[in-house]
Amino acid sequence: MSAATGAWSRVTAWLKGLSGKAADVLPVRVGGTDYRQTHSTPATVLGFDQALLWVVVALLAWGLVMVYSASIAMPDNPRFGKIAPTHFLTRHVFALVVGFVVALLAFQVSMATWERVAPWLFVVSIVLLVAVLIPHVGTVVNGARRWLSLGIMNFQPSELAKFAVLVYASDYMVRKMEVKERFFRAVLPMGAAVAIVGVLLLAEPDMGAFMVVAVIAMGILFLGGVNARMFFLIAGVLVAAFGLMIATSPWRRERVFAYLDPFSEQHALGKGYQLSHSLIAIGRGEIFGVGLGGSVEKLHWLPEAHTDFLLAVIGEEFGLVGVLTLILLFVWMTRRIMHIGRQAIALDRVFAGLVAQGVAIWIGFQAFINMGVNLGALPTKGLTLPLMSFGGSAILMNLVALAVVLRVDYENKLLMRGGRV
């Protein structure tokens, strides 16, 4: 009876706190046993971050409309054979449904379980990256062997590798927290793991995915408290490695030169073709765009308009206003996810916090690269726009990663109201 009375008094006290300034009175655990007030805690304690969820839904819905708009003329192209005008729309809807179901399942998995299976998930991703390179196992598209055929859809192991490296690096930093200042015991093993993934990705080849994986791993090492000198040393090595890859690869080097002058006679019909037509599309959009469905560049002028260059179609149809709105949505979402990660770390949940912040780095960096390429600020690189571009594997893993972030937020709120995870 006394236990029930005590529980009721705690619930009553908590409800009284909610009636006042909830964001100011919720306890946040700092340093193990001390509790202090926080002014950055969201007022909504029950459930999970609904604002983040609705922003994700808005981006998915906008992406669905734009994939249909960008691909509606594809049946007229002989390269795609006889396909229906809704072919890519139907496949994108199917990917969204599958992604939503898998994300719901991922949300049910506790962060303690993710921490426990992190090494095994990393091993599975390595095995799949090896399998995709085996002839007659991996599917070749446009000269790259990046896909495994699953019958109902093609799966890209590099997308799983991004998530696997993220979870593994977070678990690794928690295990190496006591020796994080020592290069050979803390940083070198993680560097070797990323190097293995990098070699396999470059063999496909998929330099874009390797860049994202490297940035995720570096970001988690930095957020995990690795010595600044070691961090800058790693950054210098990676920059030198990417520079060497570009310098020793004629077609990558040609892409860089095409990026510098895409409208020149030498590049306009070659490596600079996509970029030049992307810039034309965005220029045609001006301030308010030509209207939904009114894009001309998507009519077989701009290659990969429904995947890597979806932003160019958005810029043409919605103009500067649409592009700025999209950028603000991604900035807000990235900042919100970083906040959830910081909140988890304040609650002494370092693994969960690093995972959430790693997802923010992943989505934020990949969106930055894709937007930079479409706007001509960065050399052309085959990276899709997260949550929006056509691509089943990318949509699936993006939704799984965001489901894990919502799980982190759910567990944060559960702890703050006195529950257990």
Side-chain angles (χ1 to χ4, degrees), residues 271-290:
K271 294 296 183 182
Y273 183 80
Q274 283 181 306
L275 177 55
S276 61
H277 281 277
S278 175
L279 294 175
I280 291 170
I282 292 171
R284 286 192 75 248
E286 297 184 348
I287 304 297
F288 298 104
V290 298

Side-chain angles (χ1 to χ4, degrees), residues 326-358:
L326 190 63
I327 291 172
L328 287 175
L329 285 173
F330 272 103
V331 169
W332 184 91
M333 181 173 65
T334 303
R335 184 178 179 277
R336 189 78 165 206
I337 297 173
M338 289 295 287
H339 167 76
I340 291 171
R342 288 197 305 269
Q343 192 176 60
I345 292 173
L347 288 162
D348 274 353
R349 304 176 64 238
V350 178
F351 171 76
L354 289 177
V355 167
Q357 292 180 332

Side-chain angles (χ1 to χ4, degrees), residues 269 277 311:
L269 296 178
H277 281 277
L311 182 69

Side-chain angles (χ1 to χ4, degrees), residues 48-327:
F48 48 80
D49 197 321
Q50 294 186 17
L52 175 61
L53 177 63
W54 283 114
V55 167
V56 171
V57 170
L59 288 171
L60 290 172
W62 194 0
L64 180 64
V65 172
M66 294 313 302
V67 165
Y68 181 48
S69 176
S71 64
I72 195 169
M74 293 294 189
D76 298 332
N77 191 332
R79 185 165 71 93
F80 293 98
K82 294 180 180 180
I83 60 174
T86 57
H87 173 79
F88 291 99
L89 174 66
T90 305
R91 291 182 61 189
H92 195 70
V93 169
F94 178 75
L96 287 175
V97 172
V98 172
F100 179 71
V101 172
V102 177
L104 278 178
L105 296 175
F107 181 78
Q108 307 304 318
V109 180
S110 68
M111 294 311 298
T113 303
W114 283 116
E115 186 172 7
R116 190 165 58 251
V117 303
W120 299 107
L121 187 62
F122 181 73
V123 171
V124 169
S125 70
I126 294 292
V127 171
L128 291 179
L129 287 173
V130 172
V132 81
L133 297 175
I134 300 173
H136 308 298
V137 175
T139 303
V140 180
V141 178
N142 294 332
R145 192 184 295 274
R146 301 177 185 174
W147 292 266
L148 292 172
S149 179
L150 302 181
I152 56 174
M153 65 181 290
N154 288 334
F155 182 73
Q156 201 167 352
S158 60
E159 295 296 332
L160 175 63
K162 295 173 188 177
F163 181 70
V165 167
L166 186 158
V167 177
Y168 177 70
S170 301
D171 170 61
Y172 179 84
M173 283 309 300
V174 171
R175 289 187 284 111
K176 298 292 184 179
M177 197 61 71
E178 294 182 358
V179 294
K180 63 185 180 183
E181 298 292 331
R182 301 171 67 175
F183 180 82
F184 288 102
R185 293 188 60 183
V187 179
L188 195 59
M190 190 65 227
V194 173
I196 292 171
V197 174
V199 169
L200 294 172
L201 288 173
L202 291 174
E204 294 182 2
D206 194 348
M207 185 176 174
F210 179 38
M211 286 177 60
V212 175
V213 166
V215 168
I216 290 171
M218 277 184 56
I220 291 175
L221 287 175
F222 179 74
L223 293 169
V226 166
N227 185 288
R229 285 175 298 178
M230 289 192 289
F231 174 79
F232 286 116
L233 174 63
I234 299 167
V237 170
L238 280 175
V239 169
F242 284 121
L244 186 62
M245 281 186 278
I246 292 171
T248 56
S249 173
W251 62 274
R252 288 193 180 109
R253 196 164 60 245
E254 204 173 324
R255 273 189 175 184
V256 173
F257 291 141
Y259 148 73
L260 295 173
D261 189 6
F263 292 100
S264 67
E265 291 184 13
Q266 182 183 357
H267 303 300
L269 296 178
K271 294 296 183 182
Y273 183 80
Q274 283 181 306
L275 177 55
S276 61
H277 281 277
S278 175
L279 294 175
I280 291 170
I282 292 171
R284 286 192 75 248
E286 297 184 348
I287 304 297
F288 298 104
V290 298
L292 180 61
S295 169
V296 172
E297 284 297 320
K298 70 183 181 185
L299 304 178
H300 313 307
W301 292 103
L302 178 63
E304 309 299 335
H306 60 309
T307 56
D308 299 351
F309 284 86
L310 188 68
L311 182 69
V313 180
I314 294 174
E316 187 175 2
E317 296 188 350
F318 290 92
L320 177 64
V321 173
V323 173
L324 289 178
T325 300
L326 190 63
I327 291 172

Side-chain angles (χ1 to χ4, degrees), residues 4-20 417:
T5 305
W8 173 251
S9 63
R10 286 195 297 272
V11 171
T12 306
W14 179 74
L15 289 174
K16 287 180 180 177
L18 278 183
S19 64
R417 71 180 218 244

